[in-house]
Amino acid sequence: MLNITSKDNAQLKHAVKLKKSAKYRRQSGQFLAEGVRVCMDALRSGAEVETLFVTDAAASKYAEAFRELSARAHKTCLLTPSLFALISDTQTPQGFLCVIKALDKSADFDTIENGGKFLALDNVQDPNNLGTILRSAEAFGVSGVLMSSDCCDVFNPKVVRGSMGAVFRLPIMETADLSAYFCAHPRLNTYAAVVDADAEKVTELGFCEPCAVVIGNEGNGIRQQTVAACRHRITIPMNGKAESLNASVAAAILIWEMVK
């Protein structure tokens, strides 16, 4: 175990850059998982743990988790609380953080036209929304999540933490253009979630496999070219005066209707 005492340590600086930069995460093929539960979820989901950063107090408090993680991590680094704060993304850190090798589950989408119920995200930007959406998608048994390339980075620390481990287990694939992807997979039944009054009510239709429900940007909804590429326009019927729902709330409702 390496005892790091300086903020200029190369491994510590690497973790700081992973915390701050989506571009650096993509270039390095690594991301961060913080917190005892999230780190253990990564380990038990088969993720490769490159480095474990831990404080002395955390290693003692969570001795069993420390034993398991340090045994599997390529490197283990001991930090003081002040140094740990540099890489932490939480207000009250537990003292556990792992550098994880990025996951590639794109092969799970090779047979997307053969069956399954998928979620597609068009320019979803808020990391808290994205983390919650992924958590709901896994909880209700969605086959996978297709994301446009301008969505929030799925390996953003807030997304990883908010997904409660779903990011490690759920098939997720990024595509540059959802409309082009749908056109290239004509057997996929696609449903664009919109707020239009003349759209089909989600509570009154069935979802024919293989299918994908599209959730749009928090402020602007789904892009018109994506809507145009979908076979169906669907909406969530609402009785109140609210014009729309939070993206993660809408996603949970639509996922439930799709998989029930």
Side-chain angles (χ1 to χ4, degrees):
M1 183 165 61
L2 176 64
N3 189 6
I4 296 177
T5 59
S6 170
K7 65 180 182 180
D8 294 322
N9 175 271
Q11 292 178 82
L12 186 65
K13 292 170 74 172
H14 172 63
V16 171
K17 291 181 72 174
L18 288 174
K19 168 188 168 182
K20 295 180 177 180
S21 172
K23 181 179 179 180
Y24 188 70
R25 289 192 289 270
R26 292 190 181 96
Q27 289 175 341
S28 64
Q30 297 176 337
F31 66 98
L32 302 181
E34 182 177 0
V36 176
R37 179 172 178 174
V38 178
C39 289
M40 292 303 295
D41 275 341
L43 186 69
R44 290 167 181 167
S45 300
E48 185 174 347
V49 181
E50 300 280 357
T51 308
L52 166 64
F53 291 99
V54 64
T55 63
D56 187 59
S60 298
K61 183 176 181 179
Y62 305 102
E64 181 60 25
F66 175 68
R67 184 190 64 78
E68 289 188 47
L69 284 163
S70 59
R72 294 274 296 277
H74 296 178
K75 297 183 291 288
T76 299
C77 300
L78 185 65
L79 301 178
T80 63
S82 60
L83 290 178
F84 191 91
L86 297 176
I87 58 175
S88 174
D89 191 55
T90 64
Q91 292 184 342
T92 55
Q94 286 186 313
F96 270 78
L97 184 145
C98 289
V99 175
I100 305 292
K101 184 177 180 180
L103 312 169
D104 182 5
K105 296 186 178 181
S106 57
D108 293 311
F109 292 81
D110 290 346
T111 58
I112 193 171
E113 290 185 290
N114 292 346
K117 295 182 176 182
F118 296 82
L119 190 67
L121 306 178
D122 193 19
N123 192 30
V124 172
Q125 289 293 303
D126 186 276
N128 294 312
N129 277 339
L130 181 53
T132 302
I133 289 170
L134 296 178
R135 183 178 180 180
S136 298
E138 186 196 24
F140 292 122
V142 168
S143 303
V145 177
L146 186 66
M147 299 173 56
S148 64
S149 56
D150 54 1
C151 281
C152 172
D153 177 25
V154 71
F155 295 129
N156 177 298
K158 288 183 174 62
V159 176
V160 174
R161 192 166 61 253
S163 78
M164 294 300 288
V167 72
F168 304 119
R169 298 181 291 268
L170 192 65
I172 301 170
M173 192 183 84
E174 185 178 288
T175 183
D177 186 336
L178 282 175
S179 59
Y181 185 90
F182 294 157
C183 290
H185 296 82
R187 293 186 61 241
L188 188 64
N189 295 296
T190 46
Y191 301 79
V194 297
V195 294
D196 302 346
D198 62 342
E200 298 175 80
K201 293 181 180 179
V202 68
T203 52
E204 298 177 358
L205 56 87
F207 292 86
C208 299
E209 293 190 38
C211 63
V213 170
V214 187
I215 305 293
N217 175 270
E218 291 85 349
N220 302 313
I222 304 172
R223 278 173 284 222
Q224 285 305 309
Q225 64 265 33
T226 307
V227 175
C230 291
R231 293 188 185 181
H232 304 270
R233 292 161 53 252
I234 62 173
T235 192
I236 299 171
M238 295 185 292
N239 295 323
K241 294 183 179 180
E243 295 182 357
S244 62
L245 296 171
N246 171 274
S248 62
V249 173
I253 294 170
L254 291 164
I255 291 168
W256 169 249
E257 291 292 340
M258 178 173 61
V259 303
K260 72 179 184 179

